[in-house]
Amino acid sequence: MTTAHDRNPVVAGLVLAAGGGRRLGGRPKALLSHRGRPLVEYAVGVLRAAGCEVVHVVIGASAGAVRERAELAGCVLVENPDWAEGMGSSLRAGLVSLAADPRGVDAALVLLVDQPGIGAEAVARVRAAYGSRDSLAAASYGGERGHPVLFGAGHWAGIAEAAVGDRGARDYLAAHRDAITPVDCSDVAEPYDIDTEADLAHLEGPA
């Protein structure tokens, strides 16, 4: 039987894309257009370009429209019926899905759907910080922790337990601050969020 010790580690991408865009008039962020593609499709492309062959995508708000309008072939789609509870529920759903993946996932590389300023180069840097199933790593911008974040599988149970409301993994990471490998991405990415109408100016039209 193949074990994690005698095969290449599997660092899977996990896109959190379930939000309803409350501050955007109820437009789901996953379907906002960036460079001619829905944001969720763009995020998947970034993860794949960074070397993640396994990608799980958590969807929620307008899940049917996301399935219909976004090209997500080859991804594992995880529908989170509790998406309105906040990011914590989506992170939990994603980690459960990754744990059940028959390919044997060793770490999750988590990318938020509403941060298109974070491209493949930054994601690849954080992915390269994987060392073992006990790894924790996060991009940093000017000394501040941001996304993407890498969670070795050894941390998933603790992260899921602490992921409540909109805090995601924040409390778990704060409690394990000394174990996190910071990866400076300030020179290759901008960690802005698409949260409000004003933020839509960051989105670009087709190339």
Side-chain angles (χ1 to χ4, degrees), residues 111 115-123 125 139-142 147-148 184-192:
L111 188 62
Q115 294 192 320
I118 299 173
E121 192 169 353
V123 175
R125 283 187 189 179
S140 68
Y141 303 91
H147 284 84
D184 184 30
C185 294
S186 304
D187 60 324
V188 294
E190 297 181 76
Y192 54 77

Side-chain angles (χ1 to χ4, degrees), residues 16-158:
L16 301 185
R22 180 175 49 84
R23 285 184 283 174
L24 289 167
R27 282 177 287 172
K29 294 180 182 182
L31 291 174
L32 295 174
S33 182
H34 181 60
R35 298 184 182 178
R37 293 186 286 170
L39 271 184
V40 65
E41 191 179 316
Y42 180 79
V44 167
V46 165
L47 286 165
R48 288 194 168 135
C52 294
E53 295 181 10
V54 178
V55 179
H56 289 224
V57 181
V58 182
I59 58 177
S62 299
V66 173
R67 289 178 183 273
E68 181 180 326
R69 292 168 51 188
E71 174 51 62
L72 301 172
C75 296
V76 176
L77 299 185
V78 184
E79 198 156 331
N80 174 22
D82 301 319
W83 62 267
E85 294 179 7
M87 190 196 304
S89 66
S90 290
L91 180 56
R92 292 195 306 271
L95 293 177
V96 167
S97 181
L98 288 173
D101 193 301
R103 290 164 287 194
V105 177
D106 299 291
L109 190 54
V110 181
L111 188 62
L112 304 183
V113 77
D114 66 346
Q115 294 192 320
I118 299 173
E121 192 169 353
V123 175
R125 283 187 189 179
V126 177
R127 185 176 181 272
Y130 175 83
S132 74
R133 291 168 68 90
D134 291 321
S135 292
L136 281 177
S140 68
Y141 303 91
E144 295 292 320
R145 189 177 71 238
H147 284 84
V149 290
L150 182 143
F151 303 138
H155 294 279
W156 293 355

Side-chain angles (χ1 to χ4, degrees), residues 189-200:
E190 297 181 76
Y192 54 77
D193 300 300
I194 307 296
D195 277 336
T196 67
E197 292 285 342
D199 296 331
L200 295 175

